[in-house]
Amino acid sequence: MEVRIDGLRFLRRGDCVLDVPKLVFASGRTTALVGPNGAGKSTLLRLIVALERLDAGTIRIGGEQVRPDRRTRGHVAFAFQRAVFVGGSVWHNLDLALRLRGVPGDERRKRAAGAAAACGVDHLLDRPAHQLSGGEAQRVNLARALSLRAPVTLLDEPLSGLDAPARRQLLHDLPGILRAFATTTIIVTHDRDEALRLAGDLVVLIGGRVHAAGARADVFGNPPDAECAAFLGYTLIPDGGGVLAVAPRALRIGPGEVTFNLTVEELLDFGMRREVWGRIAGVPATVSLPMGENDNAGRLTVSAPERAVRRYCG
Amino acid sequence: MDALWEGFQEAVRLIVRGDAGLREVAWRTIVVSGSATLLAMAAGVPTGYGLARGRFPGRTLVLSAVNTGMGMPPVVVGLIVWLFLVRSGPLGDLELIYTKRAMVVAQFLIAVPLVIGFTAAAVQALPAELPDLLAALGAGRLRTLWLLAREAQLGILAAVMAGFGGVISEVGASMTVGGNIQGDTRVLTTAIVTETSRGENANAMALGIVLLVMAFAVNLLLTAVQQRRRR
Amino acid sequence: MRLARLAPVLTLLLLPWAAIACGDDDAPPKTAQPQVSASSLATATLSPTPAAGRVGGTMILATTTSTQDSGLLDALVPRFKDATGVDVKVIAVGTGAALEMGAKGDADAVLVHAPTSEKKYVDSGDLIDGKLVMHNDFVVVGPPSDPAKVRGAKDITAVMAAIATTGPFISRGDASGTNTKELELWKVANVDLKTVAGREETGQGMGATLNIADQKAAYTLTDRATYLALKKNLRLEILFEGAPNLLNVYHVYVVNPAKHGGVKETQARAWVAFLVDPATQQLIGDFKKAEFGQSLFFADAGKPETSLGLR
């Protein structure tokens, strides 16, 4: 089902924290809703399940306006950022969620077991939910949402609170899990790499406004404005009245289509490769330094291909 | 030391013999304090829940009042209730003074801030996302309330224990409001006062042991439930 | 399922509630407390009290701690209930508080023992139909070592003066009849209260005050009945007794229904009639006589006030 937003405004204590004239999450696709902390991402998710009340506009799921009722919520599965559970076993928690959806007993057992297996938590079913580790809890949280097999699945920071190995593992598994279970999926994250890994579509939300929306390659390859580019990891270099945005990892040593002077500050040796950290026109920038290259210069000439550089007017 | 030992022996004798007078005072104590606790539960649990979850002007004020009430000396509550219910008081026409009902009223007022306070604390200790999670899963208002109450049940049990423990061991208010009338409003604590001032130390001791055992039994029961629930 | 496990707890708490609905204000069982004091009553051979017949209802009697602590009212109240059907709610406080309850209409009858204090309430019209009921006497008790040499003093004035110099003295300090009498005695002996060595006030009833005086090896003034009732636990001894101004006289009054609406006049009058009834009077005179070998109270109904040195 498609999620369509029109003329949405949401106020908190009189301030407009979300202003979205038009936004569509396409049916059957996975969209990453990205933006810095406080951009209004989680609020938008909460509005979609009618946990908050709109001040203006409409949100429709499959053509039906959302309401704080069972019907709207029956369309949506929501995994909150913090994995919270009721007392009792993991199984009890999965079962309760399905019971609240009115799923009959046999079906409940099948679905809970299926989702638990897909998320790699089938060995935890008898464990008390309150005793899970951070990674286990996030996976169970995910399994609970996916077992509902709702037309729309909302995941709020599904990788938060995990240590690095657990995070890497789940980041690797998640796209497969989502393909198997979810239909229309919206993932909120503040992490660009997560967004790029998990979603085909990107929506960049900054300060309560949508700065970019579209397919991953379009949005990432062509950010519409400097703020958006900065969030996506571009290096912003002042240039006359405007600004040049260089895509992440696009800088190379030596002259090229667009050339800059890098003041070297530090050389990091990782063994098989090295990285130069420095500044271009006062702006922090990083460039890889192949082994064997001259590394004692105080200044380096670096460059990027034309297609990796965007120009924005001041 | 003699009085202690004699008191203990006398207590055992009275309890083993199933002394009718002792049984009656003990039963009356359970009736009065149990009723007060039950009423305090009926009023205090929803109120505590509402205070914990609600956002309304004056909430902080109400919470502070409840916290003050939790430390309110029972004898002061007794005095206030007495001033209201005594014949020349504003509610004197109800003729409630020196009855078990008046004691229930006073003990209710002592227990209810405890129940509200403990319940509110228990509900506030729940993860803030839990109500939203249940709502998003499609639970209705009542279902959500019930599921949250179940999550907070350990705290709510603690609330009931605190309330019952507070009123069953309380003497000031019961004395003032009930009048310690033999065969009518004399409960374990006030009977202990009477027996002591009569010099019947063994009897007083027997009553004290019964009171202790009773408070212990109720707490044992509730603690057992609590421990079984915790996992 | 979890609710089911909670059921025993709920039942435990619910049961009393069901009971209280019917348990309040019906006939008070007579075995309300685990003590044996009422047994002396059984030995009294008396015809049933011929008081006012069936009256019913309840009434509040404000009285002093001495009548309660001695056990007298526990013996009288059930008999009154049998005779009239009236439930008496006995509120045992100091005489001062009892008189004040009468003056506010918070009680229906008062039974007190401080004639000088009582006069004020009779004059103001709050208390009416006073009847002389009984007397016992106050005694001065103290530690057997008797540091003030009170034993064998020639009169109460000398006793008070001697205690004032040595002390210590434990006072009720609760505006009770005993306290009132104590203050009167200091005054008669011309002793300034502030100069009494080691005088402390307990603010409690006679029983508690005796216990405290006993623990502190101090002198105190007590009514004989309470002292005798507690004697077995006390080291205190009677060191001075028998002076004419140590009489402890009890009067009963009806609270004036014309002044205070809601006073149960019928019940209060029945109570007064019961107390001065010859059968009750004999009971009072015999109360615990067998146990202590002497009377705790002397029945006085119908005697002129002057026979006790009053008025």
Side-chain angles (χ1 to χ4, degrees):
Chain A
M1 280 182 188
E2 148 191 292
V3 179
R4 175 179 291 273
I5 295 171
D6 285 296
L8 179 150
R9 282 171 67 81
F10 178 73
L11 310 179
R12 188 168 284 142
R13 287 185 214 94
D15 297 334
C16 184
V17 294
L18 265 182
D19 183 359
V20 182
K22 186 171 166 54
L23 181 64
V24 178
F25 296 94
S27 183
R29 292 188 61 85
T30 298
T31 307
L33 183 57
V34 298
N37 289 327
K41 306 184 297 288
S42 295
T43 306
L44 189 54
L45 285 200
R46 292 172 61 81
L47 283 164
I48 292 172
V49 261
L51 285 174
E52 309 279 354
R53 190 193 297 268
L54 294 166
D55 291 295
T58 57
I59 299 177
R60 290 193 178 81
I61 296 176
E64 257 180 63
Q65 196 160 337
V66 302
R67 282 194 192 78
D69 59 15
R70 276 181 73 84
R71 191 170 163 75
T72 289
R73 284 162 182 169
H75 292 323
V76 185
F78 194 159
F80 285 79
Q81 175 172 1
R82 201 173 135 210
V84 292
F85 303 104
V86 298
S89 65
V90 168
W91 179 268
H92 173 72
N93 273 274
L94 295 178
D95 187 65
L96 175 68
L98 289 162
R99 206 143 28 98
L100 288 173
R101 286 292 162 97
V103 177
D106 281 352
E107 178 72 9
R108 287 208 299 274
R109 259 187 300 282
K110 225 163 60 196
R111 285 217 222 159
C119 296
V121 291
D122 41 351
H123 61 295
L124 300 174
L125 286 173
D126 292 328
R127 284 263 289 278
H130 288 312
Q131 290 175 12
L132 299 174
S133 72
E136 292 167 342
Q138 278 299 8
R139 281 174 183 265
V140 172
N141 196 26
L142 196 63
R144 177 168 57 190
L146 294 177
S147 71
L148 302 177
R149 294 185 175 278
V152 176
T153 302
L154 310 179
L155 308 178
D156 193 352
E157 302 277 4
L159 301 172
S160 72
L162 303 188
D163 56 25
R167 182 174 173 279
R168 195 168 332 114
Q169 182 69 44
L170 188 54
L171 189 58
H172 188 268
D173 296 348
L174 198 50
I177 298 173
L178 291 180
R179 265 196 301 280
F181 279 87
T183 55
T184 308
T185 308
I186 305 173
I187 303 177
V188 158
T189 173
H190 65 278
D191 185 294
R192 177 197 61 203
D193 295 331
E194 252 174 63
L196 295 175
R197 166 79 182 110
L198 296 175
D201 290 352
L202 286 185
V203 173
V204 182
L205 194 65
I206 299 173
R209 284 159 207 277
V210 175
H211 281 236
R216 171 172 50 198
D218 293 345
V219 173
F220 186 66
N222 193 9
D225 57 39
E227 260 179 302
C228 195
F231 178 76
L232 291 172
Y234 281 64
T235 306
L236 300 192
I237 299 159
D239 178 49
V243 63
L244 291 178
V246 183
R249 299 189 200 96
L251 288 174
R252 295 283 175 269
I253 301 285
E257 289 174 358
V258 186
T259 306
F260 305 96
N261 277 323
L262 178 77
T263 310
V264 178
E265 291 180 342
E266 208 173 347
L267 181 78
L268 301 181
D269 192 340
F270 296 108
M272 74 305 260
R273 70 186 178 87
R274 291 177 296 174
E275 241 171 45
V276 177
W277 288 55
R279 288 176 189 274
I280 300 170
V283 177
T286 315
V287 59
S288 283
L289 186 67
M291 301 303 283
E293 291 253 357
N294 177 11
D295 58 4
N296 46 23
R299 296 174 76 82
L300 283 173
T301 299
V302 296
S303 66
E306 187 67 52
R307 63 186 153 75
V309 180
R310 322 292 327 159
R311 282 187 177 76
Y312 304 105
C313 299
Chain B
M1 210 50 217
D2 278 0
L4 263 180
W5 178 236
E6 272 171 39
F8 183 74
Q9 286 176 312
E10 175 67 10
V12 172
R13 243 194 322 276
L14 286 172
I15 294 164
V16 169
R17 188 158 24 106
D19 182 86
L22 181 64
R23 212 163 48 205
E24 196 193 301
V25 175
W27 177 242
R28 184 181 303 123
T29 305
I30 295 180
V31 168
V32 170
S33 295
S35 312
T37 309
L38 204 72
L39 287 174
M41 218 173 124
V45 170
T47 310
Y49 183 93
L51 271 178
R53 299 264 303 120
R55 295 285 175 272
F56 53 89
R59 178 173 171 272
T60 312
L61 205 71
V62 177
L63 270 174
S64 309
V66 166
N67 287 333
T68 309
M70 287 172 81
M72 185 92 143
V75 68
V76 176
V77 178
L79 177 65
I80 294 168
V81 173
W82 187 80
L83 287 171
F84 267 91
L85 293 185
V86 79
R87 256 190 221 159
S88 55
L91 301 177
D93 290 344
L94 298 177
E95 300 215 347
L96 279 176
I97 196 70
Y98 306 132
T99 62
K100 286 191 279 288
R101 288 197 182 94
M103 296 169 78
V104 171
V105 170
Q107 294 194 353
F108 167 79
L109 290 175
I110 293 164
V112 87
L114 290 167
V115 175
I116 294 176
F118 275 80
T119 304
V123 173
Q124 275 178 326
L126 295 177
E129 295 90 342
L130 200 52
D132 285 341
L133 172 75
L134 296 171
L137 284 171
R141 204 173 270 270
L142 277 177
R143 192 91 186 257
T144 303
L145 201 130
W146 167 244
L147 288 167
L148 288 179
R150 254 178 44 172
E151 280 309 291
Q153 61 192 341
L154 294 186
I156 292 172
L157 270 178
V160 176
M161 282 204 259
F164 188 74
V167 296
I168 201 175
S169 57
E170 172 288 321
V171 60
S174 298
M175 186 68 99
T176 317
V177 167
N180 188 25
I181 295 160
Q182 186 193 5
D184 186 10
T185 61
R186 188 165 296 173
V187 289
L188 283 168
T189 50
T190 61
I192 290 171
V193 172
T194 303
E195 293 300 315
T196 308
S197 62
R198 279 178 179 169
E200 303 285 350
N201 296 337
N203 282 337
M205 187 75 191
L207 292 162
I209 289 175
V210 171
L211 179 60
L212 259 168
V213 168
M214 238 157 68
F216 180 76
V218 169
N219 277 305
L220 183 72
L221 189 70
L222 293 178
T223 310
V225 174
Q226 214 178 46
Q227 290 303 317
R228 188 132 50 95
R229 202 57 47 81
R230 166 172 294 148
R231 333 182 329 110
Chain C
M1 184 179 75
R2 290 182 168 208
L3 185 67
R5 273 195 254 142
L6 204 62
V9 185
L10 288 176
T11 315
L12 181 91
L13 291 167
L14 270 163
L15 264 177
W17 188 238
I20 197 168
C22 49
D24 214 356
D25 292 334
D26 45 13
K30 292 175 194 71
T31 48
Q33 61 178 57
Q35 62 114 317
V36 289
S37 66
S39 60
S40 58
L41 194 65
T43 59
T45 50
L46 286 167
S47 56
T49 310
R54 300 304 293 182
V55 178
T58 66
M59 62 168 280
I60 295 173
L61 171 69
T63 185
T64 81
T65 54
S66 55
T67 53
Q68 166 128 322
D69 286 351
S70 63
L72 177 64
L73 282 175
D74 288 350
L76 295 183
V77 165
R79 292 187 74 82
F80 180 59
K81 162 86 176 170
D82 285 347
T84 62
V86 178
D87 277 319
V88 182
K89 294 179 179 293
V90 178
I91 306 304
V93 288
T95 288
L99 288 169
E100 205 48 45
M101 282 180 73
K104 286 213 188 108
D106 291 337
D108 303 300
V110 296
L111 175 63
V112 288
H113 63 137
T116 43
S117 312
E118 291 156 28
K119 190 167 179 305
K120 195 178 98 196
Y121 296 90
V122 174
D123 290 348
S124 68
D126 289 306
L127 303 180
I128 57 170
D129 292 352
K131 291 275 192 306
L132 183 58
V133 178
M134 61 195 180
H135 77 272
N136 62 4
D137 60 345
F138 291 111
V139 294
V140 175
V141 297
S145 61
D146 190 17
K149 305 274 177 289
V150 165
R151 225 184 305 247
K154 66 175 166 36
D155 58 21
I156 186 68
T157 310
V159 169
M160 299 311 275
I163 293 174
T165 52
T166 63
F169 185 91
I170 302 293
S171 165
R172 293 270 298 268
D174 62 350
S176 60
T178 312
N179 188 215
T180 308
K181 174 59 82 175
E182 177 214 336
L183 297 177
E184 188 186 308
L185 292 178
W186 294 121
K187 209 166 170 187
V188 168
N190 222 356
V191 172
D192 181 358
L193 268 192
K194 293 189 209 74
T195 67
V196 180
R199 181 179 179 275
E200 288 171 1
E201 297 187 348
T202 64
Q204 299 191 59
M206 197 67 251
T209 303
L210 276 170
N211 280 327
I212 293 167
D214 187 56
Q215 293 301 312
K216 297 196 158 200
Y219 293 93
T220 190
L221 183 72
T222 173
D223 64 288
R224 188 184 294 270
T226 310
Y227 172 75
L228 288 177
L230 268 64
K231 190 166 179 270
K232 64 174 189 231
N233 296 318
L234 300 174
R235 277 163 301 174
L236 297 176
E237 291 176 0
I238 295 180
L239 300 175
F240 187 85
E241 60 187 322
N245 52 357
L246 286 182
L247 280 191
N248 179 24
V249 184
Y250 290 84
H251 287 86
V252 66
Y253 298 88
V254 173
V255 176
N256 190 350
K259 248 188 117 170
H260 302 289
V263 166
K264 310 268 180 68
E265 187 185 359
T266 320
Q267 285 84 354
R269 285 189 187 284
W271 171 251
V272 172
F274 168 79
L275 279 189
V276 300
D277 183 88
T280 312
Q281 286 278 302
Q282 190 182 342
L283 194 75
I284 292 173
D286 291 342
F287 178 69
K288 288 197 177 173
K289 197 172 177 179
E291 193 177 330
F292 295 111
Q294 55 181 302
S295 290
L296 294 191
F297 297 98
F298 300 91
D300 292 322
K303 291 185 193 164
E305 298 272 325
T306 47
S307 70
L308 295 169
L310 298 172
R311 301 232 175 115

